[in-house]
Amino acid sequence: MENPLEEYLPEWCAALSSLMVLLKRRRERSEEGGLPRQTSAVISRSTSTVIVRRPKPKVRPPPKRPFVLQRNQNVPRVMLPVLEDLIDSTVGYSLGMTREDFEYLHGLIGPKIARMDTFLRRAISSKERFLITLRYLATGESYSSMQEIFQVSKQLMSRMIPEVCGSLIEVLQDYVKLPENKEEWLRVSQEYENRWKFPHAIGAVEGRYVALKAPMSSETEHSQTKRNCNVVLLGVVDSNSNFMYADIDSSDGALCLTKLNAMLENDLHIPEPEELDMFSTVKVPYMLLGDNGFPFSKHCIRPFEDAVSPGSIENHFNERLSIARCPVENAFGVLNNKFKILSRAILMDAAVARKVVLATVYLHNFVRRNYSAEDDEHFDPENAGLMPSIEHTPLDPSAELMEMRMHVANYLASN
């Protein structure tokens, strides 16, 4: 009896021999050190041949940023002469900081922001990280613009800048602090009275809106519209336009003010109320000088709100209070004039932007540590483009506070 499979035997033998040849070639390639290529074999029954299909090699697209390829090469991202020019233009012209100040600050934060080189890439130096952050604060340029200048990706800068700002706040924390005992508060009050002729002033308080343009995925509680939000920078300034206190919080600043009031009541040892002169019997507390955006309280005095006639005691008090608040107006004017990042919407979440804005305050005090109030006599804060002030707060003081303010107004009218 004939075997029905005999007619297919020649085809199977041919296919088997072809597979043997293919396996032999793959074994030879592996012994030579080459990696075997992934192939697929299809047996054609009609022709008794093996058709070998090889995959097409994958073609990778060229990199979008050519400077990324130079990370592992010994090629500097920014040439030394260009880097020196960037330092001079950013540090000297924009911020008014000396080269010695720049090197001193770099020595403080360098170990905190430095990164180690790896076999995958060369790390960006601490000086470049510091300079990128200062330029961002001083000019408010976008990450895309600075990417072309410093040859650093904008994704890396978005992580680098908040980190450097946090390190600046940490190393400069002694430059922004409130007095801690009675003697220091009295010294602040005496400086205010000597220069601005206002008694029992322990500083001027002001709040300014800082605009944010948070990412669409942000769930920040400070949102006021779909794409824009504001936070309030609350600051207390001494007679020389230096910040003694700064905080950032909700869009109306109420939480910041509540925190500040709690500190004034409990932790800071403010002197007890005293008479303004030896002939007075009314005890006046030591107070911050505020405007109509702040509530009238034991530690914050504000101007008369009702319509006052020219030449009246109330009008004279409002004028003297406005003059005594010049340091805080100058402080925010200088801050906004030097750090252009504050005059435009910051594309960050509120928690991250807080570090950036506070870093400008600490740098402001560091640069001005050798300045005096006389250096700001020719500075006009209105020409610097001030940030918007906080909104008006309804007046609801006690009768005792109203009587105390009227007593101060009569004292100023006679002195």
Side-chain angles (χ1 to χ4, degrees), residues 192 196-198 201 203-208 234-239 241 288-294 300-303 317-332 381 386 389-390:
Y192 245 105
W196 302 104
K197 311 304 179 186
F198 202 98
V205 61
E206 182 63 285
R208 300 286 181 173
L234 185 72
V236 177
V237 174
D238 64 10
S239 62
S241 298
L288 298 174
L289 308 181
D291 58 7
N292 291 331
F294 295 90
C300 182
I301 193 170
R302 60 186 280 176
F317 173 84
N318 288 351
E319 292 178 353
R320 293 285 295 271
L321 180 61
S322 178
I323 293 173
R325 281 177 46 83
C326 283
V328 74
E329 300 290 344
N330 289 341
F332 277 93
L386 281 176
S389 301
I390 59 176

Side-chain angles (χ1 to χ4, degrees), residues 10-19 41-52:
E11 296 179 3
W12 290 352
C13 292
L16 184 59
S17 62
S18 298
L19 287 175
V42 179
I43 301 176
S44 176
R45 181 176 298 181
S46 59
T47 58
S48 302
T49 58
V50 178
I51 303 175
V52 179

